[in-house]
Amino acid sequence: MTSSKDLIQQARATTDDVPIIPRKGLVVVTCMDTRIDPLAMYNARVGDVHVIRNAGGLVNGDVLRGLLISQVRANTTAIDLVMHTDCAVQGLEDREMRSKLGSQSLEFGGFDDLEATLRSGVASLRAAELLPHRDRITGYIFEVETRRLRRVTE
Ligand SMILES: [Zn+2]
């Protein structure tokens, strides 16, 4: 039987040769959804890409902060924004969430049109002048039903 100590040592061994600079120079911004496995989606392994996740895969200030650090400190040059079908944030109502939580001040970023929201996120990143590299920003929809990535933007 394998002990937890053995497992921890194995995990340490597998990260020993992992570079801090992503091998593929890519950052994937995507949703926290359990059905999304970014490494499997790209046939990648630990060390290949940076992954930034939040509810919805929405572009916000913290995503931009991560992208700036990734490009400036870890030499990444490409960004894939990946939203997905059947997302829990799609159709989410701030009013409903506020009522359930008893708070009037929070915003949850619920959206209706998946493709329009993705295009808008890509456009806002392409317009973010602080980002050193903005010429390889692409929007994809991950179709959870087929487990395929569909490119939406140029
Ligand atoms: Zn989602």
Side-chain angles (χ1 to χ4, degrees):
M1 183 186 280
T2 308
S3 73
S4 61
K5 189 178 165 197
D6 292 339
L7 289 173
I8 291 166
Q9 281 175 346
Q10 283 170 19
R12 212 175 275 144
T14 56
T15 55
D16 274 350
D17 60 345
V18 175
I20 193 166
I21 306 294
R23 293 184 197 95
K24 297 185 186 297
L26 171 69
V27 186
V28 180
V29 179
T30 193
C31 184
M32 66 185 188
D33 193 287
T34 55
R35 297 164 294 180
I36 296 178
D37 179 346
L39 295 184
M41 197 177 337
Y42 284 85
N43 198 21
R45 58 194 174 109
V46 172
D48 281 350
V49 298
H50 274 163
V51 179
I52 300 173
R53 303 183 78 155
N54 64 31
L58 301 175
V59 174
N60 61 25
D62 197 59
V63 166
L64 183 60
R65 184 182 71 86
L67 291 170
L68 290 168
I69 291 170
S70 180
Q71 291 197 352
V72 172
R73 304 283 315 266
N75 306 332
T76 60
T77 54
I79 300 167
D80 281 0
L81 181 58
V82 182
M83 295 179 73
H84 68 102
T85 56
D86 197 32
C87 184
V89 185
Q90 190 167 10
L92 184 74
E93 299 267 358
D94 277 359
R95 191 180 34 181
E96 178 196 343
M97 289 293 289
R98 287 173 182 157
S99 142
K100 285 184 175 169
L101 295 168
S103 165
Q104 294 307 307
S105 59
L106 296 171
E107 290 183 16
F108 294 91
F111 57 87
D112 291 320
D113 187 326
L114 174 61
E115 200 166 308
T117 305
L118 175 66
R119 287 182 186 282
S120 164
V122 168
S124 71
L125 290 176
R126 287 178 178 165
E129 292 180 2
L130 279 177
L131 279 172
H133 304 283
R134 292 181 290 150
D135 56 337
R136 291 169 62 207
I137 301 174
T138 313
Y140 293 89
I141 289 176
F142 178 70
E143 297 176 336
V144 295
E145 304 81 6
T146 60
R147 308 199 62 74
R148 289 184 192 282
L149 272 179
R150 177 167 60 86
R151 188 173 177 151
V152 171
T153 68
E154 291 301 303

